[in-house]
Amino acid sequence: MSVVSYEIIDGVGVIRLNNPPVNALSYALREGIIDAVNAAQADASRALVIVCDGRTFVAGADITEFGKPAREPSTTTVIATIEQSAKLVVAAIHGTALGGGFELALACHYRCALSSAKVGLPEVKLGLLPGAGGTQRAPRLAGVDAALELITSGNAISASKALSLNLIDRVVDDELLAAAVSYAVELADAGAELKKVRDISIDPATAPAELFDKWRKTVGKKARGQTAPLLIIDCVAAAVTLPMDEGLVQERAHFTSCVSSPQSAAMRHLFFAERASAKIKGLAKDTAVREVKSVGIIGGGTMGGGIAMNFANVGIAVTILEVSGEALQRGLDLVRKNYGITVSKGKLSEQQMNDCLALIDGTTDYEGLCDVDMIIEAAFENLEVKQQIFAKLDAVCKPGAILATNTSYQDVDQIAAATSRPEDVVGMHFFSPANVMKLLEVVRGEKSSPVTVNTAMKIAKTINKIPALAGVCYGFIGNRMFRNYIAETQRCLIGGGTPEQIDNAMQQWGMAMGPLSVNDLSGIDISYAARQTQTQEQKGEPACYAIPDALVEMGRKGQKTGAGYYRYDAKTRAKSSDPIAMEVVEAMAAKHGVERRPISDEEIQNRVIYALINEGAKILEDGIAQRPSDIDVVFTNGYAFPVFRGGPMHYADAVGIKKVYDSICSYRDQFGEAIWKPSALLAQLASEGKTFNQWGQERE
Ligand code: 3H9
């Protein structure tokens, strides 16, 4: 079937696009649109409507075509053809008009949308900028400030918001095609002009230099290290000062440089990785998904409360179980407080907050959970405690209820063994703050049934999380790797670095915060407490935890005590370096026989990131992660790994596997095999000249 069809309805030529799943502007669609618009010029139609079949209006350029040789007609040619049509063209938008799709709509003379539709220019999330006129047309319609918000955030906006910004002209509630056709008839009857956005000029007084400076500062902070956002600002500035065609030339030049940049390659990799990670390899197509209409949460602490919010936000009823009425009240109060903060930021209405709160209930009795469809245990991180809880759940929960644990380290199989139905048990590991962080690590136990795992993976999408499937091991994917990241940070610290140097080096590299500042923020005492229950093997070598142990034992638990690796001002929380912390570092180095030496920023960056990569490769060898790209999804969505580096495994591919492997071998020679044992998979790929990506593709 052709991807573009054409018929005349009530005198209006309807160009219908049908390129599943999201009507991406692939070659066939581009060619079809041009042919249809050109052919319609000579027929009896009075005006044209462009409408899409399926779930959405055009969702943008076909991302799979980037990096391949360009093929005419380009999206730019499609857009020029539409804009130059001698017959008036109306875009009829449903679903999401995104990127090149919204740019196509902006080239139409009028735009009509369903009230449920959304529009946006998300290219920045792919390390790109709108390359088909978006940076020139959006500010001409919406003004510079609103356009910069739209394009630098990449977030889609509702039809009503777009209407208020002049980005669309009419919003309708249903019957989109009929409404768009009658809109076109109405415009044709009135002899309406062919409104071309390019003809609008922007009053320079509305776009002073200070406005652009403000945006450069904001974007420089929010998207530190990324190239595209700053180029977007340059393009929008050009829309103010240059004629349209010159602005388009500048936009195209910047777009072209972004498309071929390593940053965009990394972010496009993540786009597909995030979709792949939701798929369970080898799962039979007809595997059922259990319905989840109600959820029980064990534990109303920060984690339990955050998890509860995810479900209430999408209309799923939640019952929180706590050990006492007092603890329960504290938990419910915390949830209320968190919603209140969201309301005060204007991100939620009072009504929406009340609707969510009405869905969250509490109990202190396990019997209160006898009817729920899914239980997520978020209790104290201790195997025995969790086993006791699961034995109780086994006794009260209805058959078929999914029994999930939010454990970050404990053995899911041993937890499942406390029940008579291990097939219903699964790990669902949320990341803190659980109502914000996008990642959900789903842990498949030895006996978890396909239906149980499938349900856990599917519910992730319902609650707007990105799932990644992991097998059972200490720390699963994320924390197993993160332990190596932290351990190497500690080796760099005790071996010669300072907290400032290490944090700056890692921040420069792209991490949102340096590892030691993160530790101060979350509390050094948390991992200290965890270590008290760990075996020596789990703890690793003493040099890796001697410094944090000493700091905690001095009462320096991080920001909450005003001191940790740094000192914090009691009022402003401003951070400053602290000679006492350095005394601890030096004393611990002496105690553990480590000779401190100057260490370069590059060495810190390489050692810390290569430690992650080496462990990631071992995780693949062990079959704990399904694919290399899943590891990238885990790290970028759960650990603030910079998206423009694409995740640890993509980064290894970008650096070159051989180079990473050789460096790891040299660290092994320097620091010993107990710490730096190169992964066998890494060695294999290095000798075969293959990337992780190729290795993963071969196994799909
Ligand atoms: C651009 O437009 C540049 C222009 O400025 C310049 C041009 C010169 N291409 O997300 P889903 C696939 S840049 C190719 O699960 P949903 C996706 O991989 C582009 N494939 O569905 C998945 O495949 P699979 C700017 C695409 O309903 C399947 O479609 N546009 C594209 O949850 C379903 O996707 C964007 O960045 C694409 N553009 O969400 C929008 N989009 O089934 C990107 C999707 O094999 N797309 N696929 O895993 C989206 O944000 C979401 O897909 C959307 C639907 C919201 C549309």
Side-chain angles (χ1 to χ4, degrees):
M1 209 186 99
S2 166
V3 290
V4 178
S5 60
Y6 181 79
E7 65 180 312
I8 297 183
I9 302 176
D10 294 343
V12 173
V14 175
I15 300 172
R16 194 186 273 275
L17 317 185
N18 183 11
N19 186 25
V22 296
N23 285 309
L25 275 169
S26 53
Y27 168 73
L29 196 62
R30 298 197 299 271
E31 197 179 46
I33 298 172
I34 290 183
D35 289 348
V37 173
N38 285 338
Q41 302 303 314
D43 71 14
S45 61
R46 304 172 65 201
L48 304 175
V49 163
I50 299 180
V51 69
C52 289
D53 281 344
R55 64 186 196 239
T56 178
F57 192 78
V58 177
D62 184 339
I63 304 169
T64 58
E65 286 184 1
F66 294 142
K68 295 181 186 157
R71 214 170 157 197
E72 276 297 333
S74 65
T75 302
T76 314
T77 313
V78 174
I79 280 174
T81 307
I82 294 171
E83 192 175 53
Q84 285 158 20
S85 161
K87 290 184 181 176
L88 179 150
V89 187
V90 174
I93 301 170
H94 79 291
T96 40
L98 298 177
F102 187 43
E103 291 174 296
L104 181 150
L106 291 174
C108 294
H109 306 117
Y110 295 88
R111 285 156 292 284
C112 154
L114 271 186
S115 51
S116 56
K118 286 187 167 184
V119 301
L121 294 166
E123 286 87 343
V124 72
K125 297 187 180 180
L126 299 168
L128 299 171
L129 48 89
T135 65
Q136 305 303 296
R137 290 192 177 85
R140 280 178 162 80
L141 285 170
V144 167
D145 200 37
L148 282 170
E149 169 64 36
L150 184 76
I151 312 174
T152 60
S153 75
N155 294 333
I157 55 172
S158 66
S160 61
K161 172 97 190 197
L163 182 70
S164 73
L165 291 174
N166 297 323
L167 290 167
I168 53 180
D169 305 291
R170 180 169 288 192
V171 176
V172 298
D173 283 329
D174 51 18
E175 299 294 340
L176 177 66
L177 179 57
V181 168
S182 73
Y183 185 32
V185 169
E186 184 188 315
L187 289 164
D189 284 349
E193 57 164 336
L194 303 191
K195 229 170 58 182
K196 290 183 188 161
V197 178
R198 65 160 51 238
D199 295 337
I200 302 170
S201 54
I202 302 170
D203 177 0
T206 63
E210 304 84 71
L211 182 67
F212 290 104
D213 289 346
K214 181 199 92 178
W215 274 101
R216 282 198 180 88
K217 245 190 222 155
T218 310
V219 156
K221 236 192 204 168
K222 264 195 190 159
R224 200 166 39 81
Q226 293 184 37
T227 316
L230 291 168
L231 293 178
I232 287 169
I233 299 177
D234 291 349
C235 290
V236 173
V240 182
T241 53
L242 298 179
M244 179 79 178
D245 285 329
E246 288 178 35
L248 286 176
V249 169
Q250 174 163 336
E251 180 193 80
R252 180 107 297 252
H254 286 331
F255 177 79
T256 309
S257 80
C258 285
V259 167
S260 56
S261 70
Q263 291 201 351
S264 178
M267 290 164 86
R268 286 181 341 240
H269 159 78
L270 283 174
F271 177 84
F272 291 111
E274 286 175 2
R275 277 144 188 91
S277 73
K279 294 172 186 150
I280 305 170
K281 276 192 186 177
L283 186 80
K285 278 219 160 46
D286 55 357
T287 307
V289 180
R290 288 200 193 131
E291 202 174 25
V292 178
K293 284 191 165 160
S294 56
V295 172
I297 312 259
I298 313 286
T302 314
M303 204 61 195
I307 296 172
M309 290 170 78
N310 286 306
F311 289 95
N313 291 347
V314 296
I316 297 177
V318 185
T319 306
I320 298 178
L321 181 135
E322 257 299 353
V323 284
S324 68
E326 211 178 49
L328 180 61
Q329 197 51 51
R330 253 200 320 272
L332 293 173
D333 288 347
L334 186 65
V335 169
R336 178 175 286 277
K337 188 176 146 208
N338 284 338
Y339 272 122
I341 294 171
T342 319
V343 171
S344 68
K345 285 184 185 160
K347 289 186 180 165
L348 200 71
S349 72
E350 196 88 23
Q351 179 62 47
Q352 285 167 320
M353 171 176 85
N354 290 334
D355 291 347
C356 290
L357 286 170
L359 285 165
I360 303 178
D361 196 4
T363 182
T364 52
D365 183 356
Y366 275 79
E367 283 295 336
L369 301 179
C370 65
D371 262 341
V372 297
D373 300 321
M374 170 179 270
I375 285 117
I376 301 171
E377 164 275 316
F380 191 61
E381 196 58 27
N382 174 292
L383 182 60
E384 273 171 32
V385 170
K386 290 185 190 291
Q387 285 177 321
Q388 282 163 14
I389 291 172
F390 273 73
K392 284 187 197 155
L393 291 174
D394 191 26
V396 299
C397 291
K398 67 179 183 188
I402 304 282
L403 308 182
T405 169
N406 174 51
T407 183
S408 20
Y409 282 104
Q410 304 302 328
D411 185 333
V412 173
D413 293 332
Q414 289 195 46
I415 296 173
T419 73
S420 63
R421 37 174 141 172
E423 66 280 4
D424 291 333
V425 178
V426 68
M428 285 175 68
H429 181 207
F430 290 78
F431 290 73
S432 189
N435 53 323
V436 177
M437 297 297 280
K438 294 294 273 178
L439 179 65
L440 178 66
E441 211 176 13
V442 173
V443 186
R444 172 163 51 192
E446 200 191 335
K447 295 189 177 158
S448 308
S449 75
V451 174
T452 300
V453 176
N454 201 22
T455 305
M457 295 291 278
K458 290 285 179 330
I459 199 78
K461 182 144 189 180
T462 310
I463 59 171
N464 299 312
K465 300 280 175 209
I466 300 171
L469 186 60
V472 175
C473 67
Y474 192 68
F476 317 123
I477 300 174
N479 281 344
R480 172 167 161 183
M481 285 172 70
F482 192 66
R483 270 163 51 81
N484 283 269
Y485 172 83
I486 291 299
E488 201 50 37
T489 302
Q490 288 294 331
R491 288 186 198 106
C492 290
L493 181 62
I494 203 165
T498 65
E500 293 80 354
Q501 187 198 7
I502 289 169
D503 281 348
N504 288 339
M506 295 319 297
Q507 231 187 339
Q508 282 300 318
W509 189 81
M511 299 304 289
M513 254 174 119
L516 300 169
S517 293
V518 171
N519 215 203
D520 266 1
L521 180 68
S522 54
I524 312 176
D525 54 322
I526 295 180
S527 47
Y528 177 88
R531 271 192 295 279
Q532 308 317 307
T533 61
Q534 285 173 336
T535 61
Q536 194 53 51
E537 195 195 339
Q538 288 168 343
K539 283 204 237 180
E541 85 266 22
C544 283
Y545 56 84
I547 297 169
D549 273 10
L551 290 172
V552 171
E553 280 158 16
M554 289 164 75
R556 300 175 67 102
K557 299 178 185 171
Q559 280 200 24
K560 60 186 166 194
T561 56
Y565 290 100
Y566 299 91
R567 195 170 25 205
Y568 297 89
D569 185 275
K571 274 195 195 132
T572 63
R573 287 206 200 163
K575 182 169 88 175
S576 56
S577 41
D578 190 345
I580 299 176
M582 275 317 294
E583 281 170 21
V584 173
V585 169
E586 274 155 17
M588 288 304 118
K591 181 171 169 191
H592 292 280
V594 179
E595 203 173 315
R596 285 174 57 76
R597 63 170 169 89
I599 176 168
S600 72
D601 289 358
E602 195 190 351
E603 181 181 338
I604 293 169
Q605 292 160 344
N606 285 347
R607 277 172 53 189
V608 167
I609 299 300
Y610 290 3
L612 268 182
I613 295 168
N614 199 32
E615 195 62 26
K618 291 180 185 172
I619 280 174
L620 290 168
E621 269 166 54
D622 295 350
I624 295 296
Q626 293 195 98
R627 31 179 103 77
S629 62
D630 286 7
I631 296 178
D632 293 334
V633 169
V634 166
F635 260 79
T636 47
N637 289 288
Y639 297 83
F641 193 95
V643 287
F644 64 85
R645 303 265 190 205
M649 310 322 275
H650 175 87
Y651 179 69
D653 284 350
V655 169
I657 296 295
K658 175 90 171 64
K659 189 171 166 205
V660 173
Y661 175 68
D662 288 346
S663 301
I664 289 176
C665 289
S666 82
Y667 297 146
R668 175 201 53 204
D669 299 344
Q670 209 177 331
F671 303 108
E673 189 161 69
I675 298 170
W676 281 102
K677 186 169 186 317
S679 134
L681 175 60
L682 198 61
Q684 179 199 325
L685 295 182
S687 80
E688 290 173 357
K690 266 194 196 149
T691 61
F692 281 116
N693 189 41
Q694 285 166 334
W695 182 84
Q697 293 295 332
E698 284 167 10
R699 276 156 189 77
E700 278 301 318

